[in-house]
Amino acid sequence: MLARARRWLDAALQVLTIGLLLGLAALVIAAVGFRKAGASIIWYDEVASVLLAWLTFLGAGLAVLRHAHLGFPGLVFRLPLALRLPCFALAKAVVLGFWAVVCFAGTRALGLMFGDTLVTLPWLSVQFVQSVVPVAAVLVIAAELLDLPESLARVRGGVDDESKEISDAIAEGMARSDEVRAGLRGGQR
C-alpha cells in the first residue's frame, strides 16, 4: 500500500512540476516576444515569480520522494549501527519538525492575507498564491513518511544511496573497460 501511495504521489508531483515548468517556459517566451513587439505583458513578472515559487516548493516534494535532495548520508552510514539508528531518527525528527513548522506558519500566514490580491491580477488572491507553502510542507512530510520504511531498512543495512550509486557506476565502467580491452585484443589477431 505504501509503495502504491508513493508511486501515485511521485506521478502527481511529476505532472505538476512538468506542467509548471512548461507553463513558466511558455510565459517567458511569450513575454519576450510581446516585449520585442512593443506590447509588454503587465502581469508577466508577478505570474512568473508565482510559477517559479510553486515549481520550487512542489519540486522539493518530488526531490524528497526520489532522494534527490541535498544530504550527507555518508556521515550517518559510517557510524556503527548503535549510533546510526539514533542519528537517523534524530535527523528524520528534525526534518519532519521543520516542515511541520513551515506548514503551521504558512497556514497562519494565509489568514493574514485574507482579501489581498496580486497587484496586476486583482482577481487572483494572495492566499491562493501563497497556499503553496503549507501544501508543499504537507507533501514533503508525506514523502518523508512514505519513504521511512525503505530509509530505515537502508540505514539498518548500512547501504546509502550515494555509495551504492558510486559502486554501481564503477562496476559498469569496469565492465565497459573490459569489453573495450577484449575488443582491442580481438582486433589485433
Side-chain angles (χ1 to χ4, degrees), residues 100-174:
V101 169
V102 168
C103 183
F104 176 77
T107 304
R108 293 278 312 257
L110 289 179
L112 300 174
M113 298 173 195
F114 181 76
D116 290 346
T117 62
L118 296 185
V119 173
T120 58
L121 298 172
W123 52 267
L124 188 56
S125 91
V126 173
Q127 280 184 314
F128 172 75
V129 169
Q130 296 300 323
S131 67
V132 70
V133 174
V135 167
V138 168
L139 289 172
V140 169
I141 290 169
E144 285 284 351
L145 294 176
L146 286 171
D147 184 58
L148 194 57
E150 187 180 314
S151 291
L152 187 56
R154 280 193 311 273
V155 168
R156 283 189 175 135
V159 179
D160 69 293
D161 290 338
E162 289 178 4
S163 295
K164 184 177 180 330
E165 197 174 310
I166 290 168
S167 62
D168 289 350
I170 290 171
E172 183 180 327
M174 295 298 288

Side-chain angles (χ1 to χ4, degrees), residues 27-187:
L27 178 60
V28 169
I29 290 168
V32 168
F34 276 98
R35 186 169 291 159
K36 198 77 166 151
S40 294
I41 303 171
I42 62 168
W43 47 264
Y44 156 73
D45 291 337
E46 207 167 23
V47 173
S49 297
V50 168
L51 290 174
L52 183 59
W54 276 71
L55 178 62
T56 302
F57 275 98
L58 295 177
L62 185 59
V64 167
L65 203 56
R66 293 183 168 201
H67 304 207
H69 54 78
L70 292 175
F72 304 98
L75 296 174
V76 173
F77 282 93
R78 300 221 191 298
L79 296 171
L81 185 60
L83 292 175
R84 193 179 325 143
L85 288 174
C87 284
F88 171 78
L90 177 63
K92 285 295 180 187
V94 167
V95 168
L96 290 169
F98 169 79
W99 285 104
V101 169
V102 168
C103 183
F104 176 77
T107 304
R108 293 278 312 257
L110 289 179
L112 300 174
M113 298 173 195
F114 181 76
D116 290 346
T117 62
L118 296 185
V119 173
T120 58
L121 298 172
W123 52 267
L124 188 56
S125 91
V126 173
Q127 280 184 314
F128 172 75
V129 169
Q130 296 300 323
S131 67
V132 70
V133 174
V135 167
V138 168
L139 289 172
V140 169
I141 290 169
E144 285 284 351
L145 294 176
L146 286 171
D147 184 58
L148 194 57
E150 187 180 314
S151 291
L152 187 56
R154 280 193 311 273
V155 168
R156 283 189 175 135
V159 179
D160 69 293
D161 290 338
E162 289 178 4
S163 295
K164 184 177 180 330
E165 197 174 310
I166 290 168
S167 62
D168 289 350
I170 290 171
E172 183 180 327
M174 295 298 288
R176 285 185 184 169
S177 175
D178 292 343
E179 289 173 9
V180 169
R181 277 193 227 121
L184 289 175
R185 284 189 210 125

